[in-house]
Amino acid sequence: MTYDSEQMTPKISDLISYGEAISPDTLVSVLSERFYNEPELDALPIVKDGYPYGLATRSKILTTLAIRFGFALYGKKPISVIADMTPMIVHIDESLNGVLDKAMARDFNDIYDEILVVDDEDKYVGRLSVKRLVVEQGNYLASSIAQRELAIARAKEMEKLDAVKTSFMAHITHELRSPIGAIIGFSELLQMRHNDGKRDDVPKYLSLLSSNAQNLRAIVNNILDLSKIEAGRMEIHSEEFSLCELLAEVLETCKVLAGDKPLQIEIDCPDPSIKLQADRIKTRQILLNLASNAVKYSDRGIIVISAEVTDQLHLAVKDTGIGIKKENLERLFTAFDQLEDAKTRRFEGTGLGLTITRQLIQLLGGAISVESTYGVGSRFDVSLPCTTKPKLKVAS
Ligand SMILES: Nc1ncnc2c1ncn2[C@@H]1O[C@H](COP(=O)(O)OP(=O)(O)OP(=O)(O)O)[C@@H](O)[C@H]1O
Ligand SMILES: [Mg+2]
């Protein structure tokens, strides 16, 4: 179906039936016989020397013939005697809406009569079914409304994606630039110390070089993880492992991250004999992302990392840190979004940690929830499907 460029409605040239026409001399008996025998035939245009002359419609011819005048009287007369000799005629380039308006303005009995279409020389081209025009216009309106809504939704989606991409590029470039700049800077300083033989600062520079390289690796890993998850290429590898050992590992990393902050970090582990059958690497990553946030966003107080096993694995990370404002809780899992307090650049990070955490949890079939009071602290709860060894008796 083609549409006219201005209004985008269907063109009437696409809707024309280019069927047969009859001459004005066709006998009424011949045509009535055809109407009797061809139930699909609704009307036949009457054309003389290529020009429209009249219209013979099934209902009118048959009722006129049978009820009012009788076949015997009119059977042998030419069709022009009882046909509609002033049919509606339109030019082939008229708009669908215009044609429909005219058709609907006709006398009630004629509304659904077919319309004859002519070309620039007023010669007969074909006929239009009003019923079809109405259906086409209805379809067009329905599809144009749906298409417009789809187009608006797509445009909004694209805008959102674009904004996310732009902020991603700005953010990532910045995040990558700082450790790269530091690595280059410290390498040059080390080179200078190597040349001038002053070795006092070398251990400090080496340690800063290493921590910046690790930071860079973490950022790149985060970006790679996220794109892998979003491309659906992240796979689940289930293995058997000790839950308490995993918690202890996370605790050690958190202690290193906390440095000399006055933070008390504790783990609350269930029975040490419990072995889980689950994806250890992803479970560790989820826990570490939450625990490292707790360390990052707390200056003092207590952090508790706890686990509980029922029919699922429940993990919780509780801190007494800066907390999150109620209005920011929804944005928490949005990629590259650091909340205001974090944006002051007191805290480094990509704003990807929680996004990846939630995606990993979804991939594993689990759920995450958060409760937080601004200025008081936060608690993140995760539940993940798992099996245990030995099998636990779950209280009903
Ligand atoms: N425990 C928490 N306490 C207070 N605010 C938090 C806490 N965890 C997350 N946030 C807020 O949520 C934002 C998003 O956290 P997320 O872990 O996704 O990113 P990030 O820590 O800034 O960077 P990344 O984890 O990629 O290094 C943080 O910038 C911070 O504002
Ligand atoms: Mg984080």
Side-chain angles (χ1 to χ4, degrees):
M1 181 69 51
T2 53
Y3 294 91
D4 47 79
S5 55
E6 254 177 44
Q7 301 177 321
M8 288 296 287
T9 46
K11 281 172 127 183
I12 62 169
S13 55
D14 291 327
L15 306 174
I16 294 173
S17 308
Y18 295 91
E20 159 196 18
I22 52 169
S23 89
D25 307 328
T26 309
L27 289 186
V28 172
S29 57
V30 172
L31 190 59
S32 62
E33 181 123 3
R34 285 198 57 188
F35 280 139
Y36 275 124
N37 294 332
E38 297 172 43
E40 299 297 309
L41 191 64
D42 268 343
L44 277 174
I46 306 166
V47 175
K48 192 179 178 193
D49 302 329
Y51 295 98
Y53 193 78
L55 182 72
T57 62
R58 158 190 288 279
S59 57
K60 285 182 190 157
I61 301 286
L62 293 186
T63 42
T64 314
L65 209 58
I67 300 166
R68 292 229 221 121
F69 305 107
F71 186 75
L73 188 60
Y74 278 95
K76 293 202 172 71
K77 304 234 184 239
I79 190 66
S80 50
V81 174
I82 57 166
D84 175 4
M85 298 310 289
T86 53
M88 185 174 149
I89 299 172
V90 298
H91 187 267
I92 191 159
D93 287 339
E94 271 198 59
S95 75
L96 173 64
N97 288 340
V99 172
L100 266 178
D101 282 349
K102 279 189 202 162
M104 292 301 161
R106 291 190 291 185
D107 187 83
F108 181 76
N109 290 323
D110 303 332
I111 271 186
Y112 285 117
D113 279 2
E114 296 206 342
I115 300 163
L116 304 190
V117 182
V118 293
D119 61 15
D120 287 343
E121 293 167 8
D122 289 334
K123 284 209 164 168
Y124 173 75
V125 178
R127 61 198 167 96
L128 281 174
S129 151
V130 176
K131 285 178 201 157
R132 180 157 178 222
L133 294 190
V134 171
V135 169
E136 285 293 341
Q137 197 193 36
N139 284 346
Y140 161 71
L141 283 177
S143 77
S144 70
I145 288 168
Q147 271 173 9
R148 198 173 315 144
E149 277 172 7
L150 201 72
I152 291 171
R154 281 211 185 121
K156 276 193 186 151
E157 203 57 39
M158 291 307 287
E159 260 175 41
K160 234 166 64 189
L161 270 178
D162 232 38
V164 169
K165 254 194 211 157
T166 312
S167 100
F168 169 85
M169 288 313 288
H171 202 106
I172 283 308
T173 328
H174 179 95
E175 287 306 323
L176 292 175
R177 242 186 14 210
S178 22
I180 290 171
I183 290 167
I184 294 170
F186 290 123
S187 317
E188 282 169 0
L189 282 170
L190 283 168
Q191 183 71 49
M192 276 161 62
R193 291 294 167 267
H194 174 73
N195 293 344
D196 62 22
K198 292 183 191 158
R199 307 211 164 237
D200 295 1
D201 293 332
V202 168
K204 189 173 83 190
Y205 293 157
L206 276 175
S207 142
L208 287 167
L209 185 74
S210 156
S211 75
N212 274 289
Q214 280 170 30
N215 188 13
L216 185 63
R217 185 179 57 187
I219 295 168
V220 172
N221 280 346
N222 267 354
I223 299 168
L224 290 179
D225 273 355
L226 194 66
S227 52
K228 211 167 165 185
I229 295 172
E230 286 185 345
R233 283 190 290 111
M234 188 70 102
E235 286 168 8
I236 301 173
H237 298 286
S238 190
E239 60 183 302
E240 194 181 296
F241 64 93
S242 153
L243 178 59
C244 291
E245 277 172 24
L246 183 84
L247 257 64
E249 249 178 66
V250 173
L251 174 67
E252 285 316 306
T253 312
C254 284
K255 281 184 179 162
V256 175
L257 291 175
D260 49 13
K261 277 190 191 178
L263 276 174
Q264 187 184 328
I265 310 173
E266 293 175 1
I267 51 172
D268 181 3
C269 190
D271 180 354
S273 66
I274 289 180
K275 295 257 191 269
L276 288 186
Q277 182 73 36
D279 190 317
R280 192 183 76 86
I281 306 276
K282 291 186 184 61
T283 310
R284 183 179 185 278
Q285 197 176 351
I286 290 164
L287 204 52
L288 201 57
N289 277 350
L290 296 177
S292 64
N293 275 352
V295 172
K296 197 190 317 189
Y297 301 110
S298 305
D299 289 329
R300 65 187 70 80
I302 308 177
I303 292 170
V304 184
I305 305 160
S306 56
E308 197 189 341
V309 187
T310 56
D311 53 337
Q312 288 201 313
L313 168 63
H314 299 276
L315 301 170
V317 177
K318 198 169 161 247
D319 67 54
T320 51
I322 61 172
I324 300 155
K325 287 181 188 157
K326 217 173 168 187
E327 64 265 28
N328 286 334
L329 281 175
E330 269 184 26
R331 286 172 41 211
L332 214 55
F333 300 97
T334 311
F336 313 111
D337 211 350
Q338 283 202 316
L339 307 179
E340 243 154 69
D341 302 284
K343 267 192 206 145
T344 55
R345 308 239 50 88
R346 200 153 68 88
F347 307 100
E348 280 189 350
T350 52
L352 287 176
L354 284 180
T355 308
I356 293 172
T357 304
R358 188 170 64 170
Q359 305 245 36
L360 286 175
I361 292 167
Q362 280 173 352
L363 183 76
L364 297 177
I368 182 166
S369 63
V370 54
E371 282 169 29
S372 187
T373 309
Y374 188 59
V376 177
S378 314
R379 179 191 166 108
F380 287 80
D381 278 286
V382 174
S383 54
L384 293 171
C386 70
T387 47
T388 54
K389 275 186 189 170
K391 267 216 163 347
L392 291 179
K393 281 189 192 130
V394 180
S396 55

